[in-house]
Coordinates of all heavy atoms in Angstrom, one line a residue:
M1 N -6.3 -5.6 14.9 CA -5.9 -4.6 13.9 C -4.6 -4.9 13.3 O -3.7 -5.5 13.9 CB -5.8 -3.2 14.7 CG -7.0 -2.6 15.2 SD -6.7 -1.0 15.9 CE -6.5 0.0 14.5
A2 N -4.4 -4.3 12.1 CA -3.1 -4.5 11.4 C -2.7 -3.1 10.9 O -3.5 -2.4 10.4 CB -3.2 -5.5 10.3
K3 N -1.4 -2.8 11.0 CA -0.8 -1.6 10.4 C 0.4 -1.9 9.7 O 1.2 -2.8 10.0 CB -0.5 -0.6 11.6 CG -1.7 -0.1 12.4 CD -2.2 1.1 11.9 CE -3.2 1.7 12.8 NZ -3.9 2.9 12.2
R4 N 0.7 -1.0 8.7 CA 2.1 -1.0 8.1 C 2.7 0.3 8.4 O 2.1 1.4 8.3 CB 1.9 -1.1 6.6 CG 1.8 -2.5 6.1 CD 1.9 -2.6 4.6 NE 1.3 -3.8 4.1 CZ 1.7 -5.0 4.2 NH1 2.9 -5.2 4.8 NH2 1.1 -6.1 3.8
F5 N 4.0 0.2 8.7 CA 4.8 1.4 9.0 C 5.9 1.4 8.0 O 6.6 0.4 7.8 CB 5.3 1.4 10.4 CG 4.3 1.3 11.5 CD1 3.8 0.1 12.0 CD2 3.7 2.4 12.0 CE1 2.9 0.0 12.9 CE2 2.8 2.4 13.0 CZ 2.4 1.1 13.5
F6 N 6.2 2.6 7.4 CA 7.3 2.8 6.5 C 8.2 3.8 7.2 O 7.8 5.0 7.3 CB 6.9 3.2 5.1 CG 6.1 2.1 4.5 CD1 4.7 2.1 4.6 CD2 6.7 1.1 3.7 CE1 3.9 1.1 3.9 CE2 6.0 0.1 3.1 CZ 4.6 0.1 3.2
I7 N 9.4 3.4 7.6 CA 10.3 4.2 8.4 C 11.4 4.7 7.6 O 12.1 3.9 6.9 CB 10.8 3.5 9.7 CG1 9.6 3.0 10.5 CG2 11.7 4.4 10.5 CD1 9.2 1.6 10.3
S8 N 11.6 6.1 7.5 CA 12.6 6.7 6.7 C 13.7 7.3 7.7 O 13.5 7.6 8.8 CB 12.1 7.8 5.9 OG 11.0 7.3 5.1
G9 N 14.9 7.5 7.1 CA 16.0 8.1 7.8 C 17.2 7.1 7.8 O 17.3 6.3 6.9
R10 N 18.0 7.3 8.8 CA 19.1 6.3 8.9 C 18.6 5.1 9.7 O 18.7 5.1 10.9 CB 20.4 6.9 9.6 CG 21.6 6.0 9.5 CD 22.9 6.7 10.1 NE 22.7 6.9 11.5 CZ 22.8 8.0 12.2 NH1 23.1 9.1 11.5 NH2 22.7 8.1 13.5
V11 N 18.0 4.2 9.0 CA 17.3 3.0 9.6 C 17.8 1.7 9.2 O 17.4 0.7 9.7 CB 15.8 3.2 9.5 CG1 15.3 4.4 10.3 CG2 15.4 3.2 8.0
Q12 N 18.7 1.7 8.2 CA 19.3 0.4 7.8 C 20.8 0.4 8.3 O 21.5 1.4 8.2 CB 19.2 0.2 6.3 CG 17.8 0.0 5.8 CD 17.7 -0.4 4.3 OE1 18.7 -0.7 3.7 NE2 16.5 -0.4 3.8
G13 N 21.2 -0.8 8.7 CA 22.6 -1.0 9.2 C 22.8 -0.5 10.6 O 24.0 -0.3 11.0
V14 N 21.7 -0.2 11.3 CA 21.8 0.4 12.7 C 21.1 -0.5 13.7 O 20.9 0.0 14.8 CB 21.4 1.9 12.8 CG1 22.3 2.7 12.0 CG2 20.0 2.0 12.3
G15 N 20.6 -1.6 13.3 CA 19.9 -2.5 14.2 C 18.4 -2.2 14.4 O 17.7 -2.6 15.3
Y16 N 17.9 -1.4 13.4 CA 16.5 -1.0 13.5 C 15.5 -2.2 13.5 O 14.5 -2.2 14.3 CB 16.1 0.0 12.4 CG 14.8 0.7 12.7 CD1 14.8 1.9 13.3 CD2 13.6 0.1 12.3 CE1 13.6 2.5 13.6 CE2 12.4 0.7 12.6 CZ 12.4 1.9 13.3 OH 11.2 2.5 13.6
R17 N 15.7 -3.1 12.6 CA 14.8 -4.3 12.5 C 14.8 -5.1 13.8 O 13.7 -5.5 14.3 CB 15.1 -5.2 11.3 CG 14.8 -4.5 10.0 CD 15.3 -5.3 8.8 NE 16.7 -5.5 9.0 CZ 17.4 -6.6 8.4 NH1 16.7 -7.5 7.8 NH2 18.7 -6.7 8.6
Y18 N 15.9 -5.2 14.4 CA 16.0 -6.0 15.7 C 15.4 -5.2 16.9 O 14.9 -5.8 17.8 CB 17.4 -6.5 15.9 CG 17.8 -7.5 14.9 CD1 18.4 -7.2 13.7 CD2 17.3 -8.8 15.0 CE1 18.7 -8.1 12.7 CE2 17.6 -9.8 14.0 CZ 18.2 -9.4 12.9 OH 18.5 -10.3 11.9
F19 N 15.5 -3.9 16.8 CA 14.9 -3.0 17.7 C 13.4 -3.2 17.6 O 12.7 -3.3 18.6 CB 15.2 -1.5 17.5 CG 14.4 -0.5 18.2 CD1 14.7 -0.2 19.5 CD2 13.3 0.1 17.6 CE1 13.9 0.7 20.2 CE2 12.6 1.0 18.3 CZ 12.9 1.3 19.6
A20 N 12.8 -3.2 16.4 CA 11.4 -3.5 16.2 C 11.0 -4.8 16.7 O 10.0 -5.0 17.3 CB 11.1 -3.3 14.7
L21 N 11.8 -5.9 16.5 CA 11.6 -7.2 16.9 C 11.5 -7.2 18.5 O 10.5 -7.7 19.0 CB 12.6 -8.2 16.5 CG 12.7 -9.5 17.1 CD1 11.5 -10.4 16.7 CD2 14.0 -10.2 16.8
N22 N 12.4 -6.7 19.2 CA 12.5 -6.7 20.6 C 11.3 -5.9 21.2 O 10.6 -6.3 22.1 CB 13.8 -6.1 21.1 CG 14.9 -7.0 20.9 OD1 14.8 -8.2 20.8 ND2 16.1 -6.4 20.8
T23 N 11.0 -4.7 20.6 CA 9.8 -3.9 21.0 C 8.5 -4.7 20.8 O 7.6 -4.7 21.7 CB 9.8 -2.6 20.3 OG1 11.1 -1.9 20.5 CG2 8.7 -1.7 20.8
A24 N 8.4 -5.3 19.6 CA 7.1 -6.1 19.3 C 7.0 -7.2 20.3 O 5.9 -7.4 20.8 CB 7.2 -6.6 17.9
E25 N 8.0 -7.9 20.7 CA 7.9 -9.0 21.6 C 7.5 -8.5 23.0 O 6.7 -9.1 23.7 CB 9.3 -9.8 21.7 CG 9.5 -10.6 20.4 CD 10.8 -11.3 20.4 OE1 11.7 -11.0 21.2 OE2 10.9 -12.3 19.6
Q26 N 8.1 -7.4 23.4 CA 7.7 -6.8 24.7 C 6.2 -6.4 24.8 O 5.6 -6.5 25.8 CB 8.6 -5.6 25.0 CG 10.0 -5.9 25.3 CD 10.9 -4.6 25.4 OE1 10.4 -3.5 25.3 NE2 12.2 -4.8 25.6
L27 N 5.7 -5.9 23.6 CA 4.3 -5.4 23.6 C 3.3 -6.5 23.2 O 2.1 -6.2 23.2 CB 4.2 -4.2 22.6 CG 5.0 -3.0 23.0 CD1 5.0 -1.9 21.9 CD2 4.4 -2.4 24.3
G28 N 3.8 -7.7 22.8 CA 2.9 -8.7 22.3 C 2.3 -8.6 21.0 O 1.2 -9.0 20.7
I29 N 3.1 -7.9 20.1 CA 2.7 -7.7 18.7 C 3.3 -8.7 17.8 O 4.5 -9.1 17.9 CB 3.2 -6.2 18.3 CG1 2.3 -5.2 19.0 CG2 3.2 -6.0 16.8 CD1 2.8 -3.8 18.8
A30 N 2.5 -9.1 16.8 CA 3.0 -10.0 15.8 C 3.3 -9.3 14.5 O 2.8 -8.1 14.3 CB 1.9 -11.1 15.5
G31 N 4.0 -9.9 13.6 CA 4.3 -9.2 12.3 C 5.7 -9.4 11.8 O 6.3 -10.5 12.1
Y32 N 6.2 -8.4 11.1 CA 7.6 -8.5 10.6 C 8.2 -7.2 10.4 O 7.5 -6.2 10.3 CB 7.7 -9.4 9.3 CG 6.9 -8.8 8.2 CD1 7.5 -7.8 7.4 CD2 5.6 -9.2 7.8 CE1 6.8 -7.2 6.3 CE2 4.9 -8.7 6.8 CZ 5.5 -7.7 6.0 OH 4.8 -7.1 5.0
A33 N 9.5 -7.1 10.2 CA 10.3 -5.9 9.8 C 11.2 -6.4 8.7 O 11.8 -7.4 8.8 CB 11.0 -5.4 11.0
K34 N 11.3 -5.5 7.7 CA 12.2 -5.8 6.6 C 12.8 -4.5 6.0 O 12.1 -3.5 6.0 CB 11.6 -6.7 5.5 CG 10.5 -6.0 4.7 CD 9.9 -6.9 3.6 CE 8.9 -6.3 2.8 NZ 8.4 -7.2 1.7
N35 N 14.0 -4.6 5.5 CA 14.6 -3.5 4.7 C 14.0 -3.4 3.4 O 13.7 -4.5 2.7 CB 16.1 -3.7 4.6 CG 16.9 -3.5 5.9 OD1 16.4 -2.8 6.8 ND2 18.1 -4.1 6.0
L36 N 13.8 -2.2 2.9 CA 13.4 -2.0 1.5 C 14.5 -1.5 0.7 O 15.4 -0.9 1.2 CB 12.2 -1.0 1.5 CG 11.0 -1.4 2.3 CD1 9.9 -0.2 2.3 CD2 10.3 -2.6 1.7
P37 N 14.5 -1.7 -0.6 CA 15.6 -1.3 -1.5 C 15.8 0.2 -1.5 O 16.9 0.6 -1.8 CB 15.1 -1.8 -2.9 CG 14.1 -2.8 -2.7 CD 13.5 -2.5 -1.3
D38 N 14.8 1.0 -1.2 CA 15.0 2.5 -1.2 C 15.5 3.0 0.1 O 15.6 4.2 0.3 CB 13.6 3.1 -1.5 CG 12.5 2.9 -0.5 OD1 12.8 2.3 0.6 OD2 11.4 3.4 -0.7
G39 N 16.0 2.2 1.0 CA 16.6 2.6 2.2 C 15.7 2.7 3.4 O 16.1 2.9 4.6
R40 N 14.4 2.5 3.2 CA 13.4 2.5 4.3 C 13.3 1.2 5.0 O 13.8 0.2 4.4 CB 12.1 3.0 3.9 CG 12.0 4.4 3.3 CD 10.6 4.7 2.9 NE 10.2 3.8 1.8 CZ 8.9 3.7 1.4 NH1 7.9 4.3 2.0 NH2 8.6 2.8 0.4
V41 N 12.7 1.1 6.1 CA 12.3 -0.2 6.7 C 10.8 -0.3 6.7 O 10.1 0.7 7.1 CB 12.9 -0.3 8.2 CG1 12.3 -1.5 8.9 CG2 14.4 -0.4 8.2
E42 N 10.3 -1.4 6.3 CA 8.8 -1.7 6.4 C 8.6 -2.5 7.6 O 9.2 -3.5 7.8 CB 8.3 -2.4 5.2 CG 6.8 -2.7 5.3 CD 6.4 -3.6 4.1 OE1 7.1 -3.8 3.2 OE2 5.2 -4.0 4.2
V43 N 7.6 -2.2 8.4 CA 7.1 -2.9 9.6 C 5.6 -3.2 9.4 O 4.9 -2.3 9.2 CB 7.4 -2.2 10.9 CG1 6.8 -3.0 12.1 CG2 8.9 -2.0 11.1
Y44 N 5.3 -4.5 9.5 CA 3.9 -4.9 9.5 C 3.6 -5.4 10.9 O 4.4 -6.2 11.4 CB 3.7 -6.1 8.5 CG 2.3 -6.6 8.5 CD1 1.2 -6.0 7.9 CD2 2.0 -7.8 9.2 CE1 -0.1 -6.5 8.0 CE2 0.8 -8.4 9.3 CZ -0.3 -7.7 8.7 OH -1.6 -8.3 8.7
A45 N 2.5 -4.9 11.5 CA 2.2 -5.2 12.9 C 0.8 -5.5 13.1 O -0.1 -4.9 12.6 CB 2.6 -4.0 13.8
V46 N 0.5 -6.5 13.9 CA -0.8 -7.0 14.3 C -0.9 -6.9 15.8 O -0.1 -7.5 16.5 CB -1.1 -8.4 13.8 CG1 -2.5 -8.9 14.3 CG2 -1.0 -8.5 12.3
G47 N -2.0 -6.2 16.3 CA -2.2 -6.1 17.7 C -3.4 -5.3 18.0 O -4.2 -4.9 17.1
T48 N -3.6 -5.0 19.3 CA -4.8 -4.1 19.6 C -4.4 -2.7 19.3 O -3.2 -2.3 19.1 CB -5.1 -4.2 21.1 OG1 -3.9 -3.7 21.9 CG2 -5.3 -5.7 21.6
A49 N -5.4 -1.8 19.3 CA -5.2 -0.4 19.1 C -4.2 0.2 20.1 O -3.3 0.9 19.7 CB -6.5 0.4 19.1
E50 N -4.3 -0.2 21.3 CA -3.4 0.3 22.4 C -2.0 -0.2 22.1 O -1.0 0.6 22.2 CB -3.9 -0.2 23.7 CG -3.0 0.4 24.9 CD -3.6 0.0 26.2 OE1 -4.8 0.1 26.4 OE2 -2.8 -0.4 27.1
Q51 N -1.8 -1.5 21.8 CA -0.5 -2.0 21.5 C 0.2 -1.3 20.3 O 1.3 -1.0 20.4 CB -0.6 -3.5 21.2 CG -0.9 -4.4 22.4 CD -1.2 -5.8 21.9 OE1 -1.9 -6.1 21.0 NE2 -0.5 -6.8 22.6
L52 N -0.6 -1.1 19.3 CA -0.1 -0.5 18.1 C 0.3 1.0 18.3 O 1.2 1.5 17.7 CB -1.1 -0.6 16.9 CG -1.3 -2.0 16.4 CD1 -2.4 -2.1 15.4 CD2 0.0 -2.6 15.8
R53 N -0.5 1.7 19.1 CA -0.1 3.1 19.5 C 1.2 3.1 20.2 O 2.1 3.9 19.9 CB -1.2 3.7 20.4 CG -2.1 4.7 19.7 CD -2.9 5.5 20.7 NE -3.6 4.7 21.7 CZ -4.8 4.1 21.4 NH1 -5.4 4.2 20.3 NH2 -5.4 3.4 22.4
A54 N 1.4 2.2 21.2 CA 2.7 2.2 21.9 C 3.8 1.8 21.0 O 4.9 2.3 21.1 CB 2.6 1.2 23.1
F55 N 3.6 0.8 20.1 CA 4.6 0.4 19.1 C 5.0 1.5 18.2 O 6.2 1.8 18.0 CB 4.0 -0.8 18.3 CG 5.0 -1.6 17.5 CD1 6.2 -1.9 18.0 CD2 4.7 -1.9 16.2 CE1 7.2 -2.7 17.3 CE2 5.6 -2.6 15.4 CZ 6.8 -3.0 16.0
A56 N 4.0 2.2 17.7 CA 4.3 3.4 16.7 C 5.2 4.4 17.4 O 6.1 5.0 16.8 CB 3.0 4.0 16.3
Q57 N 4.9 4.7 18.7 CA 5.7 5.6 19.4 C 7.1 5.2 19.5 O 8.1 6.0 19.3 CB 5.1 5.8 20.9 CG 5.7 6.9 21.7 CD 5.1 7.0 23.0 OE1 4.6 6.1 23.6 NE2 5.0 8.2 23.5
Q58 N 7.4 3.9 19.8 CA 8.7 3.4 19.8 C 9.4 3.4 18.5 O 10.6 3.7 18.3 CB 8.7 2.0 20.5 CG 8.4 2.0 21.9 CD 9.3 2.9 22.7 OE1 10.5 2.8 22.7 NE2 8.7 3.8 23.5
L59 N 8.6 3.1 17.4 CA 9.2 3.1 16.1 C 9.7 4.5 15.7 O 10.7 4.6 15.0 CB 8.2 2.6 15.0 CG 7.8 1.1 15.1 CD1 6.7 0.8 14.1 CD2 9.0 0.2 15.0
R60 N 9.0 5.5 16.1 CA 9.4 6.9 15.9 C 10.7 7.2 16.6 O 11.5 8.1 16.1 CB 8.3 7.8 16.2 CG 7.1 7.8 15.3 CD 6.0 8.8 15.6 NE 5.0 8.8 14.6 CZ 4.0 7.9 14.5 NH1 3.9 6.9 15.3 NH2 3.1 7.9 13.5
R61 N 10.9 6.6 17.7 CA 12.2 6.8 18.5 C 13.3 6.1 17.9 O 14.4 6.6 17.7 CB 11.9 6.4 19.9 CG 13.1 6.7 20.9 CD 12.8 6.4 22.3 NE 12.5 5.0 22.5 CZ 13.4 4.1 22.8 NH1 14.7 4.4 22.8 NH2 13.1 2.8 23.0
G62 N 13.1 4.8 17.6 CA 14.2 3.9 17.1 C 15.3 3.6 18.0 O 15.3 4.1 19.2
P63 N 16.2 2.8 17.6 CA 17.4 2.4 18.4 C 18.4 3.6 18.5 O 18.3 4.6 17.8 CB 18.0 1.2 17.7 CG 17.6 1.4 16.3 CD 16.3 2.1 16.3
Q64 N 19.4 3.4 19.4 CA 20.3 4.4 19.7 C 21.0 5.0 18.4 O 21.2 6.3 18.3 CB 21.4 3.9 20.6 CG 22.5 4.8 21.0 CD 23.5 4.2 21.9 OE1 23.4 3.1 22.3 NE2 24.5 5.0 22.3
F65 N 21.4 4.2 17.5 CA 22.2 4.8 16.3 C 21.4 5.1 15.1 O 21.9 5.5 14.1 CB 23.3 3.8 16.0 CG 24.3 3.6 17.1 CD1 24.4 2.4 17.9 CD2 25.2 4.7 17.5 CE1 25.3 2.3 18.9 CE2 26.1 4.5 18.5 CZ 26.1 3.4 19.2
A66 N 20.1 4.9 15.2 CA 19.2 5.3 14.1 C 18.9 6.8 14.2 O 19.1 7.5 15.2 CB 17.9 4.5 14.2
A67 N 18.5 7.3 13.0 CA 18.0 8.7 13.0 C 16.7 8.7 12.1 O 16.7 8.8 10.9 CB 19.0 9.6 12.3
V68 N 15.6 8.5 12.8 CA 14.3 8.4 12.1 C 13.8 9.8 11.7 O 13.8 10.7 12.6 CB 13.2 7.8 13.1 CG1 11.9 7.7 12.4 CG2 13.7 6.3 13.5
T69 N 13.6 10.0 10.4 CA 13.1 11.3 10.0 C 11.6 11.3 9.7 O 11.0 12.3 9.7 CB 13.8 11.7 8.7 OG1 13.7 10.7 7.7 CG2 15.3 11.9 9.0
D70 N 11.0 10.1 9.4 CA 9.6 10.0 9.1 C 9.1 8.6 9.3 O 9.8 7.7 9.0 CB 9.4 10.5 7.6 CG 7.9 10.7 7.3 OD1 7.1 11.2 8.2 OD2 7.5 10.4 6.2
V71 N 7.8 8.5 9.7 CA 7.1 7.2 9.9 C 5.8 7.4 9.2 O 4.9 8.1 9.7 CB 7.0 6.8 11.3 CG1 6.2 5.5 11.4 CG2 8.4 6.6 12.0
D72 N 5.6 6.7 8.1 CA 4.3 6.7 7.4 C 3.5 5.5 8.0 O 4.1 4.4 8.0 CB 4.4 6.5 5.9 CG 4.9 7.8 5.3 OD1 4.6 8.9 5.8 OD2 5.6 7.7 4.3
E73 N 2.3 5.7 8.5 CA 1.5 4.6 9.1 C 0.2 4.5 8.4 O -0.5 5.5 8.2 CB 1.2 5.0 10.6 CG 0.4 4.1 11.3 CD 0.1 4.6 12.8 OE1 1.0 5.3 13.3 OE2 -0.9 4.2 13.3
I74 N -0.1 3.3 7.9 CA -1.3 3.0 7.2 C -2.0 1.8 7.7 O -1.4 0.9 8.2 CB -1.1 2.9 5.7 CG1 -0.1 1.8 5.4 CG2 -0.6 4.2 5.1 CD1 0.0 1.4 3.9
D75 N -3.3 1.8 7.7 CA -4.1 0.6 8.0 C -3.8 -0.5 7.0 O -3.6 -0.2 5.8 CB -5.6 0.9 8.0 CG -6.0 1.8 9.1 OD1 -5.4 1.8 10.2 OD2 -7.0 2.5 8.9
A76 N -3.7 -1.7 7.5 CA -3.3 -2.8 6.6 C -4.3 -4.0 6.7 O -5.0 -4.1 7.7 CB -1.9 -3.3 7.0
E77 N -4.3 -4.8 5.7 CA -5.1 -6.0 5.7 C -4.5 -7.0 6.7 O -3.3 -7.1 6.8 CB -5.1 -6.6 4.3 CG -5.9 -7.9 4.1 CD -5.8 -8.4 2.7 OE1 -5.4 -7.7 1.8 OE2 -6.1 -9.6 2.6
F78 N -5.3 -7.7 7.4 CA -4.9 -8.7 8.3 C -4.3 -9.9 7.5 O -5.0 -10.5 6.7 CB -6.0 -9.2 9.2 CG -5.6 -10.3 10.1 CD1 -4.8 -10.1 11.2 CD2 -6.1 -11.6 9.9 CE1 -4.4 -11.1 12.1 CE2 -5.8 -12.6 10.7 CZ -4.9 -12.4 11.8
L79 N -3.1 -10.3 7.8 CA -2.5 -11.4 7.1 C -2.3 -12.6 8.1 O -1.5 -12.5 9.0 CB -1.1 -11.1 6.6 CG -1.0 -9.9 5.6 CD1 0.4 -9.5 5.3 CD2 -1.8 -10.2 4.3
P80 N -3.2 -13.6 8.0 CA -3.1 -14.7 9.0 C -1.7 -15.3 9.2 O -1.3 -15.7 10.3 CB -4.1 -15.7 8.5 CG -5.0 -14.9 7.6 CD -4.2 -13.8 7.0
A81 N -1.0 -15.4 8.1 CA 0.4 -16.0 8.2 C 1.3 -15.2 9.1 O 2.3 -15.7 9.5 CB 1.0 -16.1 6.8
S82 N 1.0 -13.9 9.3 CA 1.9 -13.0 10.1 C 1.3 -12.7 11.4 O 1.6 -11.7 12.1 CB 2.1 -11.7 9.4 OG 2.8 -12.0 8.2
S83 N 0.3 -13.6 11.9 CA -0.4 -13.2 13.1 C 0.2 -13.9 14.4 O -0.4 -13.7 15.5 CB -1.9 -13.6 13.0 OG -2.0 -15.0 12.8
S84 N 1.2 -14.7 14.2 CA 1.9 -15.2 15.4 C 3.3 -15.0 15.4 O 4.0 -15.4 14.4 CB 1.5 -16.7 15.5 OG 2.1 -17.4 14.5
G85 N 3.8 -14.3 16.4 CA 5.3 -14.0 16.5 C 5.6 -12.9 15.6 O 4.8 -12.4 14.8
F86 N 6.9 -12.5 15.7 CA 7.4 -11.3 15.0 C 8.7 -11.8 14.4 O 9.5 -12.4 15.0 CB 7.6 -10.1 15.9 CG 7.8 -8.8 15.1 CD1 6.7 -8.0 14.9 CD2 9.0 -8.4 14.7 CE1 6.9 -6.8 14.2 CE2 9.2 -7.2 14.0 CZ 8.1 -6.4 13.7
S87 N 8.9 -11.5 13.1 CA 10.2 -11.9 12.4 C 10.9 -10.8 11.8 O 10.3 -9.7 11.5 CB 9.8 -13.0 11.4 OG 9.0 -12.5 10.3
V88 N 12.2 -11.0 11.5 CA 13.0 -10.1 10.8 C 13.3 -10.7 9.4 O 13.8 -11.8 9.4 CB 14.3 -9.7 11.6 CG1 15.2 -8.9 10.7 CG2 14.0 -9.0 12.8
N89 N 12.9 -10.0 8.4 CA 13.2 -10.5 7.0 C 14.3 -9.8 6.3 O 14.6 -8.7 6.7 CB 11.9 -10.4 6.2 CG 10.7 -11.2 6.8 OD1 10.9 -12.1 7.6 ND2 9.5 -10.8 6.5

């Protein structure tokens, strides 16, 4: 399965993408996290339904200095190039 998450709030400049990276590595999720020009963070994630549920829960929490106000979650197309490892862009 693949999902895209769009995280809003105070999520840039607080280590959010590296939080997503560490969490993805712990859960065995592939994909990426990147800052968007509008202040949100986009996360693309590939994993099982159970892995993605656990990942979404952590994304809603965020790192210590973040203030997540909203997480939009949508089903995404599987991108083979993003199916191994997790990167921060």
